[in-house]
Amino acid sequence: MRSVRLSDVARHAGVSTKTVSNVVHGYQHVRPSTRERVQRAIAELGYRPDARGRSLATGRTHMLALAVPDLRNPYFAELAHSIAEAAIARGYRLLLEESMGTPEVERAVLSAEEAGLVDGLIFQPVWLTSGELAQHSRGVPVVLLGENSAPLSMDHVRTDNVAAAAHVVEHLHALGRRRIAFLGAEAPVPSQTSKLRLMGYQKGLEACGLPVDPALVVTGGAADAARACAALGAALDAGLAPDALLCRDDLAALGALRALGERGLRVPEDVALTGWDDIEAATHVRPSITTVRADAAHLAGRALDLLFERIEGYDGLGRHEFIGHSLQVRESAPAAKR
Amino acid sequence: MRSVRLSDVARHAGVSTKTVSNVVHGYQHVRPSTRERVQRAIAELGYRPDARGRSLATGRTHMLALAVPDLRNPYFAELAHSIAEAAIARGYRLLLEESMGTPEVERAVLSAEEAGLVDGLIFQPVWLTSGELAQHSRGVPVVLLGENSAPLSMDHVRTDNVAAAAHVVEHLHALGRRRIAFLGAEAPVPSQTSKLRLMGYQKGLEACGLPVDPALVVTGGAADAARACAALGAALDAGLAPDALLCRDDLAALGALRALGERGLRVPEDVALTGWDDIEAATHVRPSITTVRADAAHLAGRALDLLFERIEGYDGLGRHEFIGHSLQVRESAPAAKR
DNA sequence: CTGAAAGCGCTTACAG
DNA sequence: CTGAAAGCGCTTACAG
């Protein structure tokens, strides 16, 4: 059975399609009796406007694409939630795309085969350089998330990873820790995110007057608890003896917690530990994990604001914004006593 | 600037729109020289077919809606990932909807204001009864997920929660446990999921010849580690002394781990513990959590198979299928020695 | 192997 | 306050 069209409603109510459209959109100047007649026809026929016809005629889809590497990573799942929520609040819906952390899919995300699907794209790349980002284009406004450098032409919202990492080091230093290790940078080539966090780590050490010792940087296990556990385990077994651990993310921190525990090292007494992202589990494991938390709702809000400005026609240079972060102090690296 | 239309390509290549369409769709019988000319025109103009026009003409959107309660719950995030993956493999994309666990939004999901957005819906309700599910309709095929009872008219894919819970009890019994508590049923009214798991719990106890003691059922804290921790903590402090804990889900298990640890109870020595869902963290906390795992990829695959059969025209009674589960045996409730 | 034309369901200047 | 008609970008019977 065909579905009910606007023209069916018009015929049923004995008016033109324009009038039905006026009623559907709550246009003011419709004679009350006409309006009522149309509304009854809509109800009787069970008419539901077709989004495609509307979109074709208006040029707007009221859909946004969100592309993140992998929803199984709790940080991205929570990000998707925040963005979906903010989008709904603005009358938009979300098309989900997982780029699965491969350059090919990231390129595909950007240069979409089909047009007309969405009005804009929110995209967190992990592979594409700003050059490639600038090149491929799906012909809709884009706002970039995350730490990869963005082309001048695109908007970009992120947290200040350098400042946050330095902040974490200072927190650990205030706890009396002096041999602060870094866990989770990808090897051999660290991601842009890890690079920034390493820079902040170094900056923090220097600000605290602590030596920078490459031996304290344990690579491997980004966003992967099992690998982080193995990497840290191997380093500990080889003689590494940190009194604090700045983990690249909470998943790595979870793995670290395990590696330390298996070796009888207590957290935070023997080794203080921090994570990054503030995923659910960080609050609930024992000890709970002190971690860097980006303000996800704010991030989502800014990203959408910028995107909508472009959808509305702004076509200037890319805006590059930082949004705030905070350190969620928990058991694994408590506040300094005094 | 307007975007390039199919008719622009046709004019540029000096052919009709039909011929361009034939080339775009890889239709066999096009003279090679014509095909090449068209392809060059497509490349030169940067033509990208518009999904809306196509969809309006064919009646297919090649989009599916996925509605789950909340993406911040790792189980649903992982489910969304599996379904997105399976959808992509079938040439479909996913429109994401979070029903946020409220009856109003669940109803809205089902009776969508606009038509023409998606070809089908995969929906995990937690509130709507089968009566309401049958009533509201967005006019597209629906496949239901989860434990709420489904109307006869709709397809439904789920795991056998009763059997799985009984299986868990038997596992704990084989470990020598006799006072097996249940943690995480919602109070005062348990969700359908919790009801089924409680039924299985009871069935398992009976199968093992253990008494069924209502005092061993601790309510509160479903899908919420903090509340589960508080609920179990209060019960323990009030004198509950189980030697095993069947938790409704992994999040509750995480909370339980914390409550037990804070009271000096060792897992699994003093209290064995199991979860449900097999979220990432279950593998990586210490002790790692023995948990029930649904075969998410299989579930996603079957849900899509059923949905596509309906999209292709099947209009018979609802198919109600079970998909398999397995117990992931880890440290918190290891295999029985023998 | 290719073309002209109608149709998918809506919106919106333009008239009146 | 309302209508007739063109147009959004595609596909597809129907002819040839």
Side-chain angles (χ1 to χ4, degrees):
Chain A
M1 80 182 196
R2 303 186 66 304
S3 61
V4 183
R5 307 194 293 278
L6 186 142
S7 61
D8 298 327
V9 176
R11 185 156 8 90
H12 194 84
V15 299
S16 76
T17 59
K18 172 75 161 78
T19 300
V20 176
S21 186
N22 283 160
V23 171
V24 167
H25 291 92
Y27 181 61
Q28 288 303 324
H29 309 289
V30 178
R31 197 188 302 160
S33 65
T34 311
R35 176 190 308 282
E36 201 178 311
R37 197 144 37 91
V38 171
Q39 276 164 342
R40 196 162 38 232
I42 288 177
E44 277 173 15
L45 299 178
Y47 170 65
R48 202 167 357 201
D50 186 296
R52 294 165 299 189
R54 178 175 287 176
S55 167
L56 213 42
T58 60
R60 289 290 171 80
T61 65
H62 289 277
M63 297 225 282
L64 261 27
L66 171 67
V68 292
D70 187 345
L71 227 47
R72 289 172 298 185
N73 182 323
Y75 175 75
F76 293 123
E78 292 174 20
L79 180 65
H81 166 82
S82 297
I83 293 191
E85 203 169 44
I88 297 281
R90 289 161 165 87
Y92 268 69
R93 332 183 71 146
L94 228 50
L95 195 66
L96 188 64
E97 314 198 15
E98 288 180 289
S99 58
M100 298 314 299
T102 77
E104 295 75 28
V105 184
E106 288 196 353
R107 265 186 287 269
V109 160
L110 221 53
S111 55
E113 282 304 295
E114 288 191 324
L117 234 30
V118 298
D119 294 338
L121 167 65
I122 298 185
F123 180 27
Q124 175 145 355
V126 303
W127 281 99
L128 264 35
T129 62
S130 66
E132 287 186 284
L133 288 168
Q135 215 168 93
H136 301 266
S137 152
R138 74 156 70 181
V140 297
V142 179
V143 170
L144 261 15
L145 264 26
E147 312 316 325
N148 273 30
S149 64
L152 258 43
S153 57
M154 289 182 187
D155 298 323
H156 189 191
V157 182
R158 64 195 184 289
T159 54
D160 187 343
N161 277 255
V162 177
H167 181 180
V168 172
V169 171
E170 282 155 25
H171 177 79
L172 293 168
H173 180 259
L175 276 177
R177 307 305 160 125
R178 295 301 176 259
R179 291 188 51 75
I180 303 173
F182 185 103
L183 173 66
E186 301 83 351
V189 182
S191 66
Q192 187 59 23
T193 301
S194 293
K195 277 185 193 155
L196 294 173
R197 292 179 188 175
L198 275 165
M199 281 177 55
Y201 164 73
Q202 175 159 9
K203 193 172 157 193
L205 292 176
E206 287 164 356
C208 295
L210 293 175
V212 176
D213 180 357
L216 286 171
V217 175
V218 180
T219 57
D224 184 323
R227 285 222 280 269
C229 178
L232 178 61
L236 293 172
D237 294 344
L240 183 73
D243 58 11
L245 212 46
L246 190 169
C247 301
R248 182 208 184 273
D249 51 49
D250 287 343
L251 257 17
L254 241 35
L257 223 41
R258 188 172 178 86
L260 293 167
E262 286 172 350
R263 284 159 186 80
L265 294 166
R266 295 162 307 160
V267 177
E269 294 83 350
D270 301 321
V271 182
L273 176 154
T274 67
W276 203 300
D277 290 344
D278 195 20
I279 65 176
E280 266 270 341
T283 315
H284 302 302
V285 290
R286 193 150 175 276
S288 56
I289 299 175
T290 294
T291 189
V292 175
R293 173 194 179 83
D295 184 342
H298 187 212
L299 188 155
R302 283 307 299 158
L304 289 195
D305 287 345
L306 295 177
L307 192 57
F308 283 121
E309 287 177 22
R310 288 209 179 264
I311 292 175
E312 299 299 342
Y314 172 82
D315 197 27
L317 277 182
R319 282 81 49 97
H320 291 209
E321 294 195 2
F322 287 111
I323 63 116
H325 62 264
S326 58
L327 189 63
Q328 303 293 306
V329 177
R330 303 206 182 97
E331 295 163 349
S332 74
K337 305 206 181 74
R338 45 207 204 98
Chain B
M1 76 183 198
R2 302 188 69 303
S3 65
V4 183
R5 309 195 291 278
L6 186 140
S7 61
D8 298 327
V9 176
R11 186 156 7 90
H12 194 85
V15 299
S16 76
T17 59
K18 172 76 162 78
T19 300
V20 177
S21 185
N22 283 161
V23 171
V24 167
H25 290 93
Y27 181 60
Q28 289 302 323
H29 309 289
V30 179
R31 196 187 305 160
S33 64
T34 311
R35 175 189 308 281
E36 202 178 309
R37 197 145 38 91
V38 171
Q39 275 163 343
R40 197 163 37 231
I42 288 176
E44 279 172 14
L45 299 178
Y47 170 67
R48 204 171 351 204
D50 186 298
R52 293 164 299 188
R54 180 175 286 175
S55 167
L56 214 40
T58 60
R60 289 291 171 82
T61 65
H62 289 277
M63 298 226 281
L64 260 29
L66 171 67
V68 293
D70 187 344
L71 227 47
R72 289 173 298 186
N73 182 324
Y75 175 75
F76 293 122
E78 292 174 20
L79 180 66
H81 166 83
S82 297
I83 293 191
E85 203 168 44
I88 296 280
R90 289 159 164 88
Y92 268 69
R93 333 183 71 146
L94 227 51
L95 196 65
L96 189 65
E97 314 197 14
E98 289 179 287
S99 58
M100 299 313 301
T102 77
E104 294 76 27
V105 184
E106 288 195 352
R107 265 186 287 269
V109 159
L110 221 53
S111 56
E113 281 305 294
E114 288 192 324
L117 235 29
V118 297
D119 294 338
L121 167 66
I122 298 185
F123 181 26
Q124 176 145 355
V126 304
W127 282 98
L128 264 36
T129 61
S130 67
E132 287 186 283
L133 288 167
Q135 215 168 92
H136 301 267
S137 152
R138 76 155 69 181
V140 297
V142 178
V143 170
L144 261 15
L145 264 26
E147 313 316 325
N148 274 30
S149 66
L152 256 47
S153 57
M154 291 183 186
D155 298 323
H156 189 192
V157 182
R158 63 196 185 287
T159 52
D160 188 341
N161 276 256
V162 177
H167 181 180
V168 171
V169 170
E170 281 156 24
H171 177 79
L172 293 168
H173 181 259
L175 277 177
R177 307 304 161 125
R178 295 300 175 260
R179 291 187 52 76
I180 304 174
F182 185 103
L183 174 64
E186 300 83 350
V189 182
S191 65
Q192 188 57 24
T193 302
S194 293
K195 277 186 194 156
L196 294 172
R197 292 179 188 175
L198 275 166
M199 281 177 55
Y201 163 75
Q202 172 159 12
K203 192 171 158 193
L205 292 175
E206 286 164 357
C208 295
L210 293 176
V212 176
D213 180 357
L216 285 170
V217 175
V218 181
T219 57
D224 185 323
R227 285 221 279 268
C229 179
L232 178 60
L236 293 172
D237 294 343
L240 183 74
D243 57 12
L245 211 47
L246 190 169
C247 301
R248 183 208 183 272
D249 51 49
D250 287 343
L251 257 19
L254 240 36
L257 223 42
R258 186 171 181 86
L260 293 167
E262 286 172 351
R263 284 160 184 78
L265 293 166
R266 295 162 307 161
V267 176
E269 294 83 350
D270 301 320
V271 182
L273 175 154
T274 66
W276 205 299
D277 289 345
D278 195 21
I279 66 175
E280 267 269 341
T283 317
H284 301 302
V285 290
R286 191 151 175 278
S288 56
I289 299 174
T290 294
T291 189
V292 175
R293 173 195 178 83
D295 186 342
H298 186 212
L299 188 155
R302 284 307 298 158
L304 289 195
D305 286 346
L306 295 178
L307 192 57
F308 282 122
E309 285 177 22
R310 288 207 180 265
I311 291 175
E312 300 299 342
Y314 172 81
D315 196 28
L317 276 185
R319 282 80 49 96
H320 291 207
E321 294 197 1
F322 287 110
I323 63 115
H325 62 265
S326 59
L327 191 62
Q328 302 294 306
V329 177
R330 304 208 181 96
E331 295 162 351
S332 74
K337 305 207 181 73
R338 45 210 206 99

